[in-house]
Amino acid sequence: KTGRSPRDKRVVEESATVDDVWWGPVNKKLSAESFAANYERAANYLNTQDHMYVFDGFAGWDPRYRIKVRVVCARAYHALFMNNMLIRPTAEELENFGEPDFTIINAGQYPAEESADGMTSSTSVAISFERRQMVILGTEYAGEMKKGVFTVMHYLMPKAGVLSLHSSCNEGPRGDVSLFFGLSGTGKTTLSADPARLLIGDDEHVWTDTGVFNIEGGCYAKAIDLSAKKEPEIFNAIRFGSVLENVVYDEQTRAVDYSDRSITENTRCAYPIEYIPSAKVPCIGGHPKNIILLTCDAFGVLPPVSKLTPAQAMYHFISGYTAKIAGTEEGVTEPEATFSACFGQPFLVWHPVKYAQMLARKMQEHNAHVWLVNTGWSGGSYGVGKRISLNYSRAIIDAIHSGELEKAAYTNYSVFNLQIPQAVSKVPDRLLNPSDAWTGNPEEFSSTLAKLAQLFQANFKTYADKATPDIVAAGPQL
């Protein structure tokens, strides 16, 4: 497979965790008996192979919270991938590794038994917190292992009283830390790989009483249309030891064609974080000063940047609006409006409001500024407008980090009641207000804006009963 299979993810229903898990479409129940059958099926397959690979590594740079992870698989590609994505132990740490806290059994070349209880296809990605195991059948997409570890940490960290986040993170020369939230394709990895700032991590973090730490030891970047000019840090990280996935290359010269979409849009590269020259190792930083919520608006009506109040920050964090980008999941061939709670719903284990409440406390305690940044369409909806230039998005992020936007003059953007800066260095003024940038007629713009507002309102009904009145009121008003 060329992408994750969220419909095939299962969590075992167990007495120790049954009251913690947010059951439903994200976390579908699997019986302990079915999990045991899957484990046996995977183990039997692995035992028939001529070669088996085992990698031991850590998840979490803070020794107080890290867990020991063992990966058992039949493909060298999978072992190398997790060598890059987990934190690689020193020789001494490996010698004293002991028993793992969690084990991944990857028999992805072998299908699940479709007729078995709890199975809906030949693919199964199942987690048992009680057995501390993850079993993969019927998919060789390496990203399932990476996100499986994150799902485990997304359960264990809040249970330990610290906040796990689907975010990238970097640090400025003055020690100022920024968190970037956003689903795949919103620019999270790209915008956090900034040569002027130290990269703490590109995807998964934990916010503790002392600051933030990266869960991973590597980066997993999208490679479609990658070039040295557009994304030099990521392009130059592709060298011996990196893993390229789903790409097309010339078998004679071994040159990769990063523009080739014939396999999938979801071309990827996994590399150790130290392959980024500006990486900060150990990957630990202080408390965030700026929190940037990235969205890819396919309707073309959200501003490229807006400043959020605390209530708006919670509303948009819980909503997690973006557009699914082609290739990240099977069957998605063009951007499609979606809401993903906490900008990472497929990986949540607890109810979204638990993560939101923990984030609200952290933001208040450390007086963090929150920004909504749209890296999607401007001038019209998908198919009519154009994707906002990466150079403009970078300029906006630079203006946040320099403090320019803290001091800027703002105007109110109706319906969503967002505060839009009147000017941003190196960004055309006309682009800052979606109504000014719109190339169609005003009536079409108003109806499109209203349509998106209604989608927000309908989605938030799921969470309204657990949200405070000020958070509910921070949403769009028609």
Side-chain angles (χ1 to χ4, degrees):
K1 293 197 174 184
T2 59
R4 287 184 295 103
S5 300
R7 290 182 292 274
D8 298 307
K9 174 188 162 188
R10 299 289 184 272
V11 176
V12 180
E13 184 179 14
E14 294 156 329
S15 57
T17 58
V18 66
D19 294 331
D20 297 338
V21 178
W22 182 40
W23 299 109
V26 174
N27 299 297
K28 297 171 188 167
K29 293 180 180 180
L30 185 70
S31 69
E33 293 75 19
S34 288
F35 183 88
N38 274 1
Y39 178 87
E40 186 176 357
R41 188 175 177 87
N44 288 343
Y45 170 77
L46 291 172
N47 285 332
T48 66
Q49 301 306 296
D50 292 334
H51 295 91
M52 197 156 62
Y53 301 89
V54 179
F55 174 74
D56 287 346
F58 300 113
W61 280 89
D62 187 330
R64 297 177 299 166
Y65 298 104
R66 76 180 183 185
I67 66 169
K68 296 182 290 183
V69 180
R70 175 164 294 162
V71 180
V72 183
C73 55
R75 292 195 66 183
Y77 145 55
H78 287 151
L80 179 58
F81 177 91
M82 290 306 280
N83 171 80
N84 289 355
M85 295 312 302
L86 288 172
I87 298 163
R88 294 156 290 286
T90 63
E92 185 183 351
E93 287 171 334
L94 195 57
E95 192 177 333
N96 300 306
F97 195 80
E99 286 300 305
D101 299 311
F102 215 86
T103 302
I104 297 173
I105 309 295
N106 188 342
Q109 303 99 304
Y110 197 57
E113 178 56 65
E114 290 187 55
S115 61
D117 184 43
M119 297 296 102
T120 52
S121 77
S122 60
T123 299
S124 174
V125 180
I127 293 173
S128 167
F129 288 108
E130 202 166 89
R131 290 176 56 144
R132 299 182 300 168
Q133 292 171 339
M134 176 184 185
V135 175
I136 299 172
L137 290 162
T139 174
E140 295 177 64
Y141 183 62
E144 295 288 10
M145 294 182 288
K146 164 192 159 61
K147 289 304 186 188
V149 172
F150 183 47
T151 300
V152 170
M153 292 292 277
H154 231 9
Y155 174 69
L156 296 177
M157 295 299 99
K159 198 173 182 70
V162 292
L163 176 59
S164 45
L165 302 163
H166 184 230
S167 69
S168 59
C169 182
N170 65 24
E171 181 181 281
R174 301 181 305 276
D176 56 301
V177 171
S178 288
L179 287 175
F180 297 75
F181 289 92
L183 287 183
S184 180
T186 57
K188 184 160 48 68
T189 297
T190 301
L191 292 171
S192 57
D194 183 338
R197 295 172 66 84
L198 298 177
L199 178 70
I200 293 174
D202 81 324
D203 196 45
E204 304 167 7
H205 292 83
V206 177
W207 194 346
T208 72
D209 57 339
T210 57
V212 292
F213 70 83
N214 188 357
I215 289 173
E216 301 182 295
C219 302
Y220 192 37
K222 285 179 78 77
I224 199 71
D225 293 327
L226 183 65
S227 71
K229 184 179 178 182
K230 282 201 305 184
E231 299 172 81
E233 298 243 322
I234 294 170
F235 186 87
N236 292 324
I238 300 173
R239 54 182 190 265
F240 185 80
S242 299
V243 175
L244 280 168
E245 196 173 33
N246 295 333
V247 300
V248 176
Y249 65 95
D250 187 304
E251 293 191 8
Q252 300 301 317
T253 66
R254 302 182 71 81
V256 178
D257 182 355
Y258 291 108
S259 65
D260 194 314
R261 293 162 160 76
S262 58
I263 296 175
T264 176
E265 283 263 348
N266 192 35
T267 57
R268 294 275 183 169
C269 181
Y271 47 86
I273 194 162
E274 57 267 25
Y275 280 20
I276 296 289
S278 59
K280 183 184 183 187
V281 181
C283 305
I284 298 173
H287 295 291
K289 179 184 177 184
N290 289 295
I291 296 173
I292 297 160
L293 308 183
L294 295 165
T295 183
C296 172
D297 174 32
F299 288 91
V301 294
L302 283 185
V305 60
S306 47
K307 190 176 184 179
L308 303 183
T309 65
Q312 285 176 328
M314 286 300 93
Y315 182 91
H316 286 278
F317 179 71
I318 293 170
S319 297
Y321 166 68
T322 192
K324 282 183 182 175
I325 298 297
T328 305
E329 290 183 14
E330 283 197 299
V332 179
T333 56
E334 63 179 49
E336 168 188 309
T338 186
F339 292 89
S340 185
C342 309
F343 290 93
Q345 184 166 309
F347 323 118
L348 300 181
V349 182
W350 303 85
H351 191 283
V353 170
K354 182 179 181 72
Y355 299 96
Q357 288 171 339
M358 292 180 77
L359 180 61
R361 288 194 292 271
K362 288 288 187 187
M363 282 166 41
Q364 185 176 16
E365 187 180 347
H366 301 288
N367 195 28
H369 301 290
V370 188
W371 313 87
L372 182 66
V373 173
N374 173 27
T375 62
W377 276 258
S378 177
S381 299
Y382 173 78
V384 177
K386 290 182 179 178
R387 188 89 192 248
I388 294 168
S389 162
L390 178 58
N391 287 337
Y392 293 151
S393 295
R394 286 195 198 280
I396 285 166
I397 301 302
D398 287 346
I400 289 171
H401 288 149
S402 70
E404 177 189 333
L405 291 192
E406 267 184 70
K407 304 164 191 153
Y410 287 84
T411 54
N412 189 65
Y413 182 57
S414 65
V415 180
F416 279 82
N417 295 313
L418 298 170
Q419 296 300 302
I420 303 175
Q422 294 176 10
V424 179
S425 296
K426 299 180 183 176
V427 180
D429 292 350
R430 185 171 158 274
L431 193 72
L432 297 174
N433 191 318
S435 61
D436 294 339
W438 192 263
T439 55
N441 62 61
E443 292 77 19
E444 186 185 29
F445 174 80
S446 297
S447 64
T448 306
L449 183 63
K451 179 183 178 182
L452 182 59
Q454 287 164 357
L455 288 171
F456 265 88
Q457 290 173 340
N459 171 74
F460 206 80
K461 286 177 183 175
T462 310
Y463 315 106
D465 61 324
K466 294 195 175 182
T468 58
D470 63 322
I471 293 175
V472 176
Q477 305 295 321
L478 290 168

